[in-house]
Amino acid sequence: MATRRNSTDDPLAPLTLAVGQEDLLLDRAVQQVVAAARASDADTDVRDLTPDQLQPGTLAELTSPSLFAERKVVIVRNAHDLSADTVKDVKAYIGAPAEEITLVLLHAGGAKGKGLLDAARKAGAREVACPKTTKPAERLSFVRSEFRALGRSATPEACQALVDAIGSDLRELASAVSQLVADVEGTIDEAVVGRYYTGRAEASSFTVADRAVEGRAAEALEALRWSLSTGVAPVLITSALAQGVRAIGKLSSARGGRPADLARELGMPPWKIDRVRQQMRGWTPDGVAAALLAVAAADAGVKGGGDDPEYALEKAVVAVARAARSGGR
């Protein structure tokens, strides 16, 4: 079998190594190779295998020379779980890859199966990074890149609103971007995202809370009115406000440390630690106390203790935003 040199930017390089744990990015890495192969040869034979399907000797069978010199793409998922004997087969193959065959290895990137990972890199594999997105900023960057890839403009506020509404699932974020691009003409702004996605009660209530604890009173009030107009229950909003303020209080009183350590200590996911750290600027212990009192009063108001639940919520939102800026003074 002839040895070929890999190209770092060629999807038809003999060996592509997709490294990480983000399923959407791993699937896209595979799809890019398959699309390139079928563009070159519509009859490309694609074999998509899991570790239990790739037994010792299987790779040799799949990559053996063909009378018809057909193009093949062999995909090996969870390559870090391959047996020791199969790893030997793969290492031997990548040292002398076959013509017209592209091998795609999907590897989690951790310590497990590191020998195969190192061997693939040493062989000059074309590598595609597929890291798990754990930070809000990474998801925001992903949404921006999705709009750019589709040739459309979206305002920074729209991108943030989409992340706030959808959450951490990249597949859902990508799907939402595609839907907006297909349905909306011109620049996509926050109002457009609101029309499509603030129907998610939990998301819209937390948008109100996020804007309030950031001291952005006007935006928090706008989000509040939109949430109420779309049928979000007032009790969900007071609950979100309470959680937001309590998170500020917990983190401000916690000992310093890495997000992962603080997450375990406070019972929050690491990504939320990063977000709350950004939100807690300007807060003081007096501000937290004042905000919690305001939220408690609003909660009583929306549960029958007052005549106007909406007014009670507006007062609470303004009080929380003021506390965020002035420590409750």
Side-chain angles (χ1 to χ4, degrees), residues 139-141 143-145 147 153-165 173 188-190 193:
R139 290 190 283 276
L140 186 58
S141 177
V143 167
R144 289 171 177 160
S145 68
F147 279 117
S153 297
T155 66
E157 294 79 11
C159 294
Q160 183 64 63
L162 196 59
V163 172
D164 289 343
L173 285 170
I188 294 164
D189 59 20
E190 189 173 12
V193 175

Side-chain angles (χ1 to χ4, degrees), residues 130-264:
C130 305
K132 198 77 173 174
T133 55
T134 58
K135 299 178 180 178
E138 294 171 343
R139 290 190 283 276
L140 186 58
S141 177
F142 172 79
V143 167
R144 289 171 177 160
S145 68
E146 289 291 289
F147 279 117
R148 283 196 301 269
L150 294 172
R152 294 295 297 277
S153 297
T155 66
E157 294 79 11
C159 294
Q160 183 64 63
L162 196 59
V163 172
D164 289 343
I166 300 298
S168 61
D169 191 310
L170 289 200
R171 289 188 190 279
E172 287 195 30
L173 285 170
S175 176
V177 170
S178 296
Q179 181 182 5
L180 289 169
V181 167
D183 292 354
V184 180
E185 295 183 356
T187 299
I188 294 164
D189 59 20
E190 189 173 12
V192 169
V193 175
R195 287 200 300 272
Y196 274 75
Y197 294 104
T198 51
R200 297 176 178 229
E202 182 182 9
S204 55
S205 62
F206 281 109
T207 298
V208 175
D210 283 339
R211 299 300 165 266
V213 299
E214 291 162 4
R216 297 155 66 178
E219 294 175 46
L221 287 170
E222 182 180 355
L224 171 64
R225 288 165 191 143
W226 180 266
S227 297
L228 293 173
S229 72
T230 57
V232 177
V235 69
L236 290 178
I237 298 172
T238 55
S239 175
L241 285 168
Q243 289 183 48
V245 176
R246 282 198 295 266
I248 297 286
K250 283 182 179 181
L251 191 56
S252 62
S253 61
R255 299 184 301 275
R258 298 178 303 170
D261 296 332
L262 287 170
R264 285 191 294 271

Side-chain angles (χ1 to χ4, degrees), residues 70-83:
E70 64 181 351
R71 179 174 288 282
K72 284 185 182 179
V73 176
V74 178
I75 302 151
V76 180
R77 297 185 182 272
N78 299 319
H80 47 277
D81 287 333
L82 291 173
S83 68

Side-chain angles (χ1 to χ4, degrees), residues 230-310:
T230 57
V232 177
V235 69
L236 290 178
I237 298 172
T238 55
S239 175
L241 285 168
Q243 289 183 48
V245 176
R246 282 198 295 266
I248 297 286
K250 283 182 179 181
L251 191 56
S252 62
S253 61
R255 299 184 301 275
R258 298 178 303 170
D261 296 332
L262 287 170
R264 285 191 294 271
E265 179 183 342
L266 303 179
M268 298 180 191
W271 65 264
K272 189 169 184 179
I273 297 293
D274 291 331
R275 170 173 283 189
V276 175
R277 272 179 169 164
Q278 295 172 359
Q279 293 174 332
M280 64 189 288
R281 296 167 187 159
W283 281 90
T284 67
D286 287 344
V288 171
L292 286 174
L293 286 174
V295 174
D299 190 55
V302 302
K303 290 178 178 176
D307 297 328
D308 191 340
E310 291 188 18

Side-chain angles (χ1 to χ4, degrees), residues 5-92:
R5 181 173 297 177
N6 277 346
S7 169
T8 57
D9 58 359
D10 180 9
L12 295 182
L15 177 60
T16 286
L17 181 63
V19 183
Q21 300 179 48
E22 185 56 67
D23 290 340
L24 174 66
L25 301 183
L26 291 167
D27 285 346
R28 285 185 173 181
V30 170
Q31 291 162 9
Q32 183 187 30
V33 172
V34 172
R38 286 183 169 156
S40 175
D41 180 354
D43 295 324
T44 294
D45 181 18
V46 177
R47 304 296 181 94
D48 197 330
L49 307 170
T50 55
D52 61 304
Q53 294 172 314
L54 194 66
Q55 299 299 318
T58 304
L59 185 61
E61 293 177 13
L62 292 173
T63 58
S64 60
S66 167
L67 274 176
F68 304 102
E70 64 181 351
R71 179 174 288 282
K72 284 185 182 179
V73 176
V74 178
I75 302 151
V76 180
R77 297 185 182 272
N78 299 319
H80 47 277
D81 287 333
L82 291 173
S83 68
D85 288 337
T86 303
V87 167
K88 290 179 183 177
D89 286 354
V90 176
K91 287 182 177 179

